[in-house]
């Protein structure tokens, strides 16, 4: 492979500047570049202008480095004399008529404001800065990469269109612009943050109707899986918003608005008005999606140590409107866990033999969120224990299906490991709605003596006492 050729254009400003040019030319040749420089290649009796014109316009010479200092920029812009120099050879017309990847400005000098001296025709182009000693090495490497056409960042190949876009291109919540406004308003504590978040939640809720499944002749569980997959970008968007609220929101009123958002999603979990013939699993996609969103909200608040906010969502009841003119009612957070029977059917139809297909999906889908699955498991367990401790209507339940991934060792979750500290326990105990460690004893004993049954979530069994770290709660200062 022939070494790349480079012509160096510069101004004979002063002996020090010329020495710097020779030094960089030498360094480039030592790096495998065939540098053409007047001091080496222009011999006595040669025509300087012809030599320089050939170097600049020769199509076989692919690279020209323009060494820029104050004098070069001044001459190039016609503000100083000196006929027969490269600054007249590389005019705007010559520069524009050559391929732009042939030239690069290498800045040796800046003005008192830190602005690079550049010819006017080059002002809008990216240059290589060798004027700062601390960055010289990195920027010299940048120059070498340009000469060798080996950029540091290579544009990756274009992949295939995501399946959820090609299969359901018409389905869009239309929330992207509002989402971006929400993130900016919350992070910068703008006065309109709450209003913007409410707009986003309203748009989200209204747009969810687009994901209602139309009955097909195919297996309905395939439709449910397809809808859940198609919704993934909007789930990720909501997760980012929950995370931003938990990290940056100065106004805790946003948690109240998040509570109302979840309340607005409840009607999607059952038959809509004016629908009389239906199967219970007609709404399984919504049941999975809404449960997943609620679980992430709790997980994110706990992960970011926003215990009061997580408790708000667990403590406050949710309004359930009626579809048939009957009496509306209230329910606790367990309204967001409902059996997704189409997944049970799928497990059986495909002979998958999984303990919980919902748990499998939650784990698979957590990979793209930035929230480790262990945080979902922790949120699921906290919700289960809160449900078990409080008196509940028999109509609802909370099954912590993610605990199917506990494994052989039931170590305490982070929130309870931290609660070995008395001060942290005083902060975290509201999650379980208890006043003291002893308040847990009747429930934990009922699991041990069998008077209360734990849901079967693994082949090995599991221990709430171990996951809470009951023996060590509040044992340290």
């Amino acid at each position: 492979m022939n070494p790349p050729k480079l012509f160096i254009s510069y101004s004979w400003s002063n002996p020090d500047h010329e020495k710097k040019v020779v030094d960089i030319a030498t360094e480039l040749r030592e790096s495998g570049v065939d540098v053409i420089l007047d001091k080496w290649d222009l011999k006595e009796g040669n025509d300087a202008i012809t030599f320089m014109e050939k170097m600049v316009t020769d199509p076989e010479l692919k690279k020209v480095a323009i060494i820029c200092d104050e004098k070069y920029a001044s001459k190039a812009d016609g503000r100083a004399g000196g006929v027969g120099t490269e600054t007249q050879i590389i005019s705007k017309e010559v520069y524009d008529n050559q391929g732009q990847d042939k030239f690069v400005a290498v800045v040796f000098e800046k003005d008192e404001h830190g602005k690079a001296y550049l010819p006017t025709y080059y002002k809008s182009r990216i240059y290589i800065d060798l004027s700062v000693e601390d960055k010289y090495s990195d920027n010299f490497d940048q120059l070498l990469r340009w000469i060798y056409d080996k950029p540091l960042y290579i544009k990756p190949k274009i992949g295939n269109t995501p399946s959820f876009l090609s299969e359901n291109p018409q389905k869009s919540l239309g929330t992207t612009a509002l989402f971006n406004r929400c993130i900016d308003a919350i992070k910068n504590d703008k006065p309109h943050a709450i209003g913007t978040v409410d707009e986003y939640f309203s748009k989200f809720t209204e747009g969810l109707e687009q994901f209602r499944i139309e009955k097909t002749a195919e297996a309905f569980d395939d439709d449910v899986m397809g809808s859940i997959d198609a919704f993934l970008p909007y789930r990720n968007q909501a997760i980012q918003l929950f995370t931003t609220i938990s990290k940056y929101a100065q106004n805790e009123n946003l948690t109240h608005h998040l509570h109302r958002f979840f309340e607005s999603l409840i009607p999607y979990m059952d038959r809509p008005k004016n629908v009389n013939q239906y199967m219970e699993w007609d709404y399984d996609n919504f049941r999975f999606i809404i449960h997943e969103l609620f679980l992430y909200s709790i997980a994110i608040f706990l992960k970011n140590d926003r215990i009061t906010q997580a408790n708000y969502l667990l403590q406050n009841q949710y309004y359930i409107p009626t579809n048939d003119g009957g009496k509306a009612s209230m329910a606790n957070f367990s309204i967001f866990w409902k059996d997704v029977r189409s997944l049970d059917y799928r497990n059986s139809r495909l002979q998958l033999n999984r303990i919980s297909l919902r748990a499998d999906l939650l784990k698979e889908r957590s990979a793209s969120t930035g929230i480790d699955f262990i945080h979902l498991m922790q949120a699921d367990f906290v919700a289960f224990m809160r449900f078990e401790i409080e008196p509940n209507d028999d109509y609802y339940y909370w099954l912590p299906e993610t605990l199917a991934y506990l494994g052989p060792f039931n170590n305490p979750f982070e929130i309870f490991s931290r609660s070995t500290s008395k001060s942290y326990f005083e902060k975290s105990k509201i999650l379980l709605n208890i006043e003291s460690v002893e308040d847990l004893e009747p429930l934990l004993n009922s699991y041990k003596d069998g008077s209360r049954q734990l849901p079967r979530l693994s082949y090995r069994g599991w221990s709430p006492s171990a996951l809470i770290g009951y023996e060590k709660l509040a044992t340290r200062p």
Side-chain angles (χ1 to χ4, degrees):
M1 174 177 155
N2 295 325
K5 287 187 176 182
L6 172 77
F7 173 62
I8 293 181
S9 171
Y10 69 103
S11 174
W12 302 326
S13 303
N14 56 64
D16 287 342
H17 178 72
E18 293 177 39
K19 182 179 183 303
K20 284 178 66 177
V21 172
V22 171
D23 288 345
I24 193 174
T26 302
E27 195 173 351
L28 286 169
R29 286 192 66 82
E30 290 173 352
S31 299
V33 179
D34 184 5
V35 176
I36 300 170
L37 186 69
D38 61 348
K39 291 189 181 297
W40 298 334
D41 297 285
L42 184 60
K43 306 302 181 185
E44 290 80 0
N46 291 158
D47 187 303
I49 296 177
T50 301
F51 169 77
M52 293 171 189
E53 282 181 340
K54 184 177 188 305
M55 293 300 101
V56 172
T57 59
D58 186 349
E60 294 184 4
L61 199 150
K62 305 297 183 184
K63 300 291 182 181
V64 175
I66 305 168
I67 306 296
C68 295
D69 63 348
E70 183 178 9
K71 191 168 185 179
Y72 191 102
S74 178
K75 285 185 175 182
D77 292 341
R79 297 191 302 270
V83 294
T85 67
E86 302 95 314
T87 53
Q88 277 73 46
I89 299 300
I90 307 177
S91 64
K92 181 181 186 304
E93 289 72 22
V94 170
Y95 180 79
D96 288 343
N97 288 332
Q98 298 289 323
Q100 288 190 17
D101 58 349
K102 179 170 184 172
F103 298 92
V104 73
V106 179
V107 172
F108 269 24
E109 190 177 6
K110 296 179 180 178
D111 64 20
E112 65 272 16
H113 303 295
K115 189 175 180 180
Y117 287 113
L118 292 167
T120 300
Y121 62 77
Y122 198 91
K123 291 288 187 183
S124 63
R125 312 297 180 192
I126 295 173
Y127 60 85
I128 295 174
D129 187 0
L130 294 185
S131 67
V132 180
E133 189 173 341
D134 291 345
K135 296 180 180 179
Y136 181 88
S137 179
D138 288 341
N139 292 348
F140 182 81
D141 288 348
Q142 182 186 357
L143 175 60
L144 282 175
R145 286 184 174 279
W146 175 76
I147 295 168
Y148 279 94
D149 289 320
K150 298 289 184 182
L152 181 60
Y153 300 104
I154 300 174
K155 182 185 287 190
K157 292 181 180 178
I158 297 176
N160 297 323
T161 302
S163 60
F164 68 84
L165 293 176
S166 57
E167 292 171 5
N168 298 289
Q170 76 284 3
K171 294 180 180 179
S172 171
L173 295 185
T175 53
T176 302
L178 278 171
F179 167 74
N180 291 329
R181 287 177 58 199
C182 284
I183 299 300
D184 175 68
I186 295 168
K187 284 186 174 181
N188 295 292
D189 195 24
K190 293 183 177 178
H192 62 267
I194 290 178
T196 304
V197 169
D198 271 347
E199 284 186 72
Y200 172 84
F201 285 154
S202 294
K203 189 80 170 177
F204 189 107
T205 303
E206 292 168 7
L208 197 57
E209 182 63 35
Q210 298 179 59
F211 288 83
R212 192 173 296 281
I213 296 174
E214 300 292 334
K215 292 180 174 60
T216 66
E218 304 297 327
F220 187 72
D221 57 299
D222 285 341
D223 293 335
V224 171
M225 293 290 288
S227 177
I228 290 171
D229 183 53
F231 193 75
L232 191 63
Y234 305 106
R235 183 216 63 168
N236 290 345
Q237 198 179 76
I239 288 172
Q240 284 184 262
L241 181 57
F242 299 163
T243 301
T244 303
I245 290 172
S246 73
K247 287 184 175 181
Y248 298 98
Q250 302 299 316
N251 190 333
E252 293 191 1
N253 284 338
L254 278 174
T255 312
H256 167 73
H257 291 262
L258 180 58
H259 171 275
R260 289 298 178 90
F261 165 63
F262 281 116
E263 205 171 57
S264 72
L265 299 178
I266 292 173
Y268 284 102
M269 302 177 76
D270 281 302
R271 70 176 178 88
K273 293 179 180 179
N274 305 319
V275 172
N276 297 318
Q277 293 184 341
Y278 67 97
M279 297 290 291
E280 187 178 350
W281 65 8
D282 287 351
Y283 320 111
D284 275 1
N285 61 323
F286 292 136
R287 291 182 174 188
F288 179 91
I289 287 167
I290 294 168
H291 167 264
E292 184 182 35
L293 288 173
F294 184 80
L295 199 58
Y296 268 101
S297 68
I298 301 298
I300 289 166
F301 279 135
L302 294 183
K303 178 179 182 290
N304 293 308
D305 212 25
R306 303 295 287 269
I307 291 173
T308 302
Q309 287 78 359
N311 182 62
Y312 188 96
L313 298 179
L314 296 172
Q315 179 185 53
N316 287 279
Q317 292 203 317
Y318 297 81
Y319 176 75
I320 307 171
T322 180
N323 287 336
D324 52 15
K327 186 178 180 181
S329 60
M330 302 292 289
N332 68 15
F333 67 89
S334 61
I335 186 68
F336 299 113
W337 186 92
K338 288 195 174 186
D339 200 5
V340 183
R341 294 187 179 180
S342 59
L343 294 184
D344 297 334
Y345 169 73
R346 184 178 186 81
N347 200 4
S348 174
R349 179 174 72 85
L350 300 179
Q351 298 181 348
L352 300 175
N353 298 318
R354 303 299 300 169
I355 293 174
S356 168
L357 203 54
R358 191 205 302 246
D360 293 346
L361 285 174
L362 288 169
K363 188 173 193 306
E364 289 168 12
R365 289 160 63 89
S366 69
S368 61
T369 63
I371 309 296
D372 291 340
F373 185 64
I374 190 68
H375 293 292
L376 279 188
M377 294 171 67
Q378 175 176 257
D380 214 1
F381 177 67
V382 167
F384 171 75
M385 293 304 297
R386 178 65 173 256
F387 178 87
E388 291 281 277
I389 288 169
E390 292 185 341
N392 288 284
D393 190 320
D394 291 338
Y395 186 73
Y396 300 112
Y397 188 58
W398 189 275
L399 183 62
E401 293 176 80
T402 60
L403 300 191
Y405 283 91
L406 273 174
F409 304 107
N410 286 191
N411 295 319
F413 285 111
E414 180 181 351
I415 198 81
F416 300 112
S417 293
R418 294 185 182 279
S419 294
T420 58
S421 159
K422 290 178 182 178
S423 60
Y424 199 89
F425 176 78
E426 286 302 309
K427 181 170 71 169
S428 68
K429 67 184 183 181
I430 61 172
L431 290 170
L432 302 183
N433 194 25
I434 59 176
E435 290 298 326
S436 67
V437 175
E438 289 72 25
D439 290 343
L440 291 169
E441 192 170 344
L443 177 62
L444 297 179
N445 284 340
S446 71
Y447 295 138
K448 288 179 182 178
D449 63 27
S451 59
R452 195 178 187 108
Q453 294 297 315
L454 285 170
R456 182 176 173 80
L457 297 170
S458 71
Y459 300 114
R460 304 180 185 87
W462 58 288
S463 168
S465 179
L467 295 177
I468 287 177
Y470 175 70
E471 300 295 334
K472 294 185 177 180
L473 287 177
T475 56
R476 298 188 299 105

